[in-house]
Amino acid sequence: DVLSLGNIYIPGQYPDIDIERGGSIDGEIDAMQLVLSIMVPDLFAEGGTYVIPGDGRIGDEIDIVEYRNMLYIVRDRVQDMIDRGLNLDQILAENPTFDYDTEYGGHRGGPSNEEFVTAIYQGLVQE
């Protein structure tokens, strides 16, 4: 009942999406969905599985759900801004991660909110 996730999940940090090597926000979301499908074996079942991140504290199902939800929400915010015709500088000025920066912002290491949003933006405009 333990999953070792390496650096695909580090609590308290935005993911480091490597766009140049094919990484994407959707790949991060898919990875979290796969982790959840392994952790929770059946609908409404309590898995009890722990996750070992590449760095930081051991986590559980709720940590992965909250992280996955953050990925979805920020991606959708950035996509909406792109659809409205905003460029990267305008999107950064809107700060689509504002309500997650305290938890995941670069103050604990990892990408800053600007780096995270830039990676999302670059991946979405390449599609």
Side-chain angles (χ1 to χ4, degrees):
D1 281 347
V2 175
L3 291 173
S4 178
L5 300 185
N7 287 340
I8 197 159
Y9 166 71
I10 298 177
Q13 292 182 16
Y14 289 123
D16 190 6
I17 301 172
D18 191 350
I19 298 295
E20 292 179 11
R21 293 189 177 150
S24 70
I25 187 66
D26 289 330
E28 291 285 336
I29 291 169
D30 290 346
M32 293 302 106
Q33 288 292 97
L34 178 60
V35 168
L36 285 168
S37 73
I38 295 169
M39 292 179 77
V40 184
D42 203 3
L43 186 63
F44 304 117
E46 186 172 336
T49 304
Y50 291 107
V51 293
I52 311 297
D55 191 22
R57 65 177 173 74
I58 294 173
D60 60 12
E61 177 187 346
I62 194 66
D63 295 312
I64 300 301
V65 168
E66 288 176 356
Y67 190 76
R68 186 235 15 222
N69 290 350
M70 176 273 297
L71 297 173
Y72 267 120
I73 290 167
V74 175
R75 183 211 47 201
D76 290 351
R77 287 175 182 171
V78 172
Q79 184 64 63
D80 177 66
M81 292 176 189
I82 291 169
D83 293 345
R84 290 188 284 132
L86 276 65
N87 65 32
L88 177 58
D89 290 333
Q90 292 167 321
I91 291 172
L92 290 172
E94 292 283 324
N95 194 13
T97 60
F98 69 95
D99 47 348
Y100 295 106
D101 290 343
T102 302
E103 175 69 23
Y104 301 106
H107 55 277
R108 292 184 185 147
S112 67
N113 63 324
E114 291 89 0
E115 292 166 328
F116 177 53
V117 170
T118 299
I120 293 171
Y121 176 86
Q122 290 172 340
L124 291 175
V125 296
Q126 287 178 2
E127 294 181 347

